[in-house]
Amino acid sequence: MTPDTTTSRTHTGAARLRELFARPGVVRLAGAHNPLGARLAERAGFDGVWSSGLEISASQGLPDCDLLTMSELLAVAGAMAAAVDVPLVADCDTGYGNALNVMHMVRRYERAGIAAVSIEDKVFPKVNSFVPGRQDLTPVDEFCGKIEAARSARHSGDLMVIARIEALIAGRGMDEALARGEAYAEAGADAVLIHAKGDAPRPVLEFLRHWRPDVPVVVVPTTYHTITAAELGAAGAKMVIYANHGLRAAISAVTQAFDAILRDGRSTAIEERIAPLSTVFSLQGLAELKQDEERFVRGGVPVAGQVAS
Ligand code: SPV
Ligand code: MG
């Protein structure tokens, strides 16, 4: 029997992410909260998918403040990783507890095919970085313990551990952000994520100017959105995450469509603007299912007629 090459993967997601990091140029990720969103990101041409805690919480109608459990978030991240061929980077908030929780988390996420885990140096339960108010930071030494724990728990060396610095979010200043990043790099982080709010990219560019060249930097230009990924890359960023744009685009589009249907009493006005059912079927993998059916199912009634791929 010939080996099935249609479904086997020669690389893990983690190995593919490391390849992307090793290449010149900036790596671009889009946030998602379910496999459909992950496929839309992949189809659009993003290099990878960010399993966004904000998006997943919002998709459950919940605020992003560590209400969902690790298992709930992992179920979504794992389903997304399985649905795409690009690497999945998981937002793991604070690591769901102390260093022991981080070790458990890394083992589970690695088994689920996740390419990288990102843990942030805030106190559990954390609050989303853009929510004004409490943004308390974990002591540096305690967070370094989490990074070391994450490294030690991974089964292969491929899974990347991203240490997220929240000092600028917490208003603690550039010196502390750089000092924390340095400590996290020394503790063995494969990359650091410098998070920032405000509409100017200046603090992130300043961080990049002072940063050591040997540990890649990840940035999240949500509020400082006028700078391009290419400009961030030229300034020294290696990965740019568009963390929640799919969710926000969907909220606007769905709201407009629903308003129009109720206003007009029918959907005609929006039919040209909403995806046809053929696109839905395609994103579901119906054509592939049809091929599998023709190949393997002997007898019975076909699940579908001929479908466009
Ligand atoms: C997320 O997408 O959940 C993030 C990024 O952590 S942010 O919302 O910008 O903090
Ligand atoms: Mg998050």
Side-chain angles (χ1 to χ4, degrees), residues 50 52-54 64 91 120 128-130 164 195 220 222 243-244:
W50 167 250
S52 161
L54 172 67
D64 178 22
D91 172 11
E120 64 195 66
N128 180 269
S129 303
F130 298 120
R164 169 164 158 179
H195 205 10
V220 186
T222 301
N244 47 50

Side-chain angles (χ1 to χ4, degrees), residues 165 176-186 192 207 211-212:
I165 307 157
E176 175 153 357
L178 285 162
R180 280 181 173 263
E182 185 63 31
Y184 304 161
E186 285 304 310
V192 296
F207 182 93
W211 185 245
R212 53 197 274 174

Side-chain angles (χ1 to χ4, degrees), residues 31 50-57 64 91-93 118 120 122 126-130 164 166 169 193 195-196 220 222-223 241-244:
W50 167 250
S51 177
S52 161
L54 172 67
E55 285 212 10
I56 298 171
S57 303
D64 178 22
D91 172 11
C92 294
D93 296 324
S118 168
E120 64 195 66
K122 289 218 296 258
K126 71 81 194 264
V127 182
N128 180 269
S129 303
F130 298 120
R164 169 164 158 179
E166 291 277 298
I169 294 289
L193 185 162
H195 205 10
V220 186
T222 301
T223 53
I241 302 177
Y242 295 92
N244 47 50

